């Protein structure tokens, strides 16, 4: 069953005209992450590669294409975690970097800390020689259009979540049975400046432990944080539930307890995987044993050769 890579392109409700872009992007990312194994890459290498591909794709709310905060700026959150040692690294509210996920990995590998935020994260990026990009280069016409629309005093809060989809994430198991996760986002549309969501918080925006498995979630960050969604799923797996059962239990709990919707990709160390969501849609793709699985709506599992 090993190795395997599973990715998501965000939970939510995506307009028809953008659905195709989102589905194509997750397939490309799962293939890209899986290809890393051919050159001896680890689960960590695979998840960072898959998420980097989606950060570079303007169809997603991560890296280029991130949603804007209320002031029209881009502040991004990202997290990686390595199931071998429970090492993790994160950045929050970081500006002007193209690939926050790579910076999160540097925090894990080059500092004694778990998370760097805002200006401190930018300073660290400069110290590491990560090129600073123009904020404009991360902003798309689509994200600016939605920002303007949601600034309107009559904006409907339900409608404003339409098209809110595109946080990206990946989980993987390599041939040695090591698991890893990576998640990256621009956050919630028109969020307050300085708002930090679930994504960079260990146990909320991801978790990876070789003893149990790995999770990358998406959805309403404040709800995910209240239930520590990623760790909750692994807790259910520790109690003997499959990745699919554990995901459904935790997503149902989040919906009933705090009215939160979302989705997750999950693996166990043997390579059993699940892509589950309580939102209307979540684009996802999984690469395993020469096969690519993918879907967008509940019940979908299309396959094609890798
Ligand atoms: N969880 C992300 C956040 O709250 C958003 C999302 O997944 O759509 O920042």
């Amino acid at each position: 069953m090993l190795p395997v890579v599973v990715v998501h392109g965000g939970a939510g409700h995506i307009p028809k005209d953008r659905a195709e872009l989102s589905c194509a992007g997750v397939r490309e990312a799962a293939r890209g992450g899986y290809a890393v194994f051919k050159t001896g890459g680890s689960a960590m290498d695979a998840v960072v590669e898959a998420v980097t591909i989606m950060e570079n794709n303007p169809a997603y709310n991560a890296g280029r294409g991130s949603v804007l905060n209320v002031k029209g700026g881009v502040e991004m959150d990202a997290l990686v975690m390595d199931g071998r040692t429970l090492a993790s690294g994160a950045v929050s509210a970081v500006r002007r970097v193209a690939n926050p996920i790579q910076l999160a990995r540097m925090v894990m590998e080059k500092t004694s800390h778990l998370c760097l935020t805002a200006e401190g994260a930018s300073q660290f990026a400069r110290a590491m020689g990560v090129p600073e990009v123009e904020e404009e280069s991360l902003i798309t016409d689509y994200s600016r259009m939605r920002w303007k629309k949601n600034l309107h005093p009559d904006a409907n809060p339900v409608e404003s979540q339409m098209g809110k989809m595109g946080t990206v994430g990946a989980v993987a198991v390599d041939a040695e049975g090591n698991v890893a996760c990576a998640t990256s986002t621009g956050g919630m549309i028109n969020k307050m400046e300085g708002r930090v969501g679930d994504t960079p918080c260990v146990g909320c925006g991801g978790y990876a432990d070789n003893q149990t498995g790995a999770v990358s979630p998406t959805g309403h960050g404040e709800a995910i944080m209240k239930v520590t969604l990623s760790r909750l799923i692994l807790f259910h797996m520790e109690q003997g539930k499959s990745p699919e059962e554990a995901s459904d239990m935790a997503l149902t709990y989040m919906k009933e307890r705090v009215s939160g919707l979302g989705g997750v990709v999950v693996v166990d160390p043997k390579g059993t995987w699940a892509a589950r969501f309580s939102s209307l849609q979540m684009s996802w793709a999984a690469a395993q044993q020469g096969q690519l699985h993918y879907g967008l709506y509940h019940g979908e599992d299309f396959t094609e050769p890798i």
Side-chain angles (χ1 to χ4, degrees):
M1 294 240 280
L2 303 180
V4 57
V5 178
V6 195
V7 309
H8 68 73
H13 186 179
I14 191 166
K16 262 207 170 98
D17 52 322
R18 296 188 63 87
E20 195 35 56
L21 285 176
S22 182
C23 286
V26 286
R27 271 147 50 208
E28 186 197 349
R31 281 198 168 94
Y34 195 67
V36 163
F37 294 132
K38 292 207 186 86
T39 51
S42 64
M44 177 56 64
D45 296 326
V47 293
V48 170
E49 175 65 14
V51 167
T52 298
I53 291 170
M54 291 186 283
E55 286 178 337
N56 292 340
N57 183 335
Y60 299 108
N61 170 19
R64 195 160 109 72
S66 285
V67 300
L68 308 188
N69 67 19
V70 72
K71 295 209 177 140
V74 174
E75 292 180 320
M76 300 166 289
D77 298 337
L79 168 79
V80 294
M81 187 158 181
D82 190 328
R84 281 177 292 201
T85 57
L86 307 190
S88 79
V91 287
S92 67
V94 69
R95 304 180 91 125
R96 294 184 301 277
V97 293
N99 295 111
I101 204 67
Q102 294 181 10
L103 192 58
R105 184 174 186 172
M106 286 177 201
V107 171
M108 177 178 78
E109 289 175 348
K110 312 269 188 217
T111 80
S112 56
H113 304 307
L114 255 64
C115 183
L116 291 177
T117 195
E119 187 44 36
S122 299
Q123 274 173 29
F124 172 67
R126 282 193 287 277
M128 290 289 109
V130 174
E132 195 164 271
V133 299
E134 291 288 331
E135 182 139 321
E136 263 316 294
S137 71
L138 301 172
I139 299 177
T140 61
D141 292 345
Y142 183 69
S143 58
R144 200 182 303 273
M145 179 275 285
R146 288 168 64 211
W147 170 68
K148 281 205 184 122
K149 215 171 147 189
N150 289 302
L151 279 181
H152 198 275
D154 298 336
N156 174 334
V158 175
E159 236 174 56
S160 76
Q161 295 307 310
M162 266 285 284
K164 194 216 80 58
M165 181 165 172
T167 288
V168 302
V171 289
V173 195
D174 59 28
E176 276 84 58
N178 297 311
V179 305
C181 68
T183 313
S184 180
T185 189
M188 299 296 283
I189 296 174
N190 293 32
K191 62 188 181 181
M192 287 171 72
E193 198 172 30
R195 179 263 189 186
V196 173
D198 60 301
T199 300
C201 303
V202 174
C204 302
Y207 205 84
D209 183 346
N210 272 8
Q211 293 182 4
T212 326
V215 180
S216 170
T218 166
H220 186 220
E222 282 70 8
I224 291 173
M225 291 162 97
K226 285 176 190 165
V227 303
T228 56
L229 184 64
S230 298
R231 194 63 194 77
L232 180 61
I233 289 171
L234 293 178
F235 168 78
H236 289 314
M237 287 166 64
E238 283 162 3
Q239 310 301 308
K241 301 293 177 199
S242 69
E244 185 170 312
E245 288 165 342
S247 303
D248 288 350
M249 282 171 78
L251 287 168
T252 302
Y253 179 72
M254 185 167 87
K255 190 171 168 184
E256 289 174 355
R257 190 75 178 85
V258 296
S259 308
L261 298 179
V264 292
V265 289
V266 183
V267 284
D268 74 12
K270 288 193 226 123
T272 315
W273 60 270
R276 309 292 293 171
F277 48 101
S278 54
S279 51
L280 189 64
Q281 295 152 305
M282 180 179 82
S283 59
W284 62 270
Q288 186 176 45
Q289 293 179 316
Q291 282 265 322
L292 191 74
H293 297 254
Y294 61 96
L296 177 67
Y297 285 95
H298 289 276
E300 285 181 351
D301 182 357
F302 302 110
T303 52
E304 63 189 33
I306 286 175

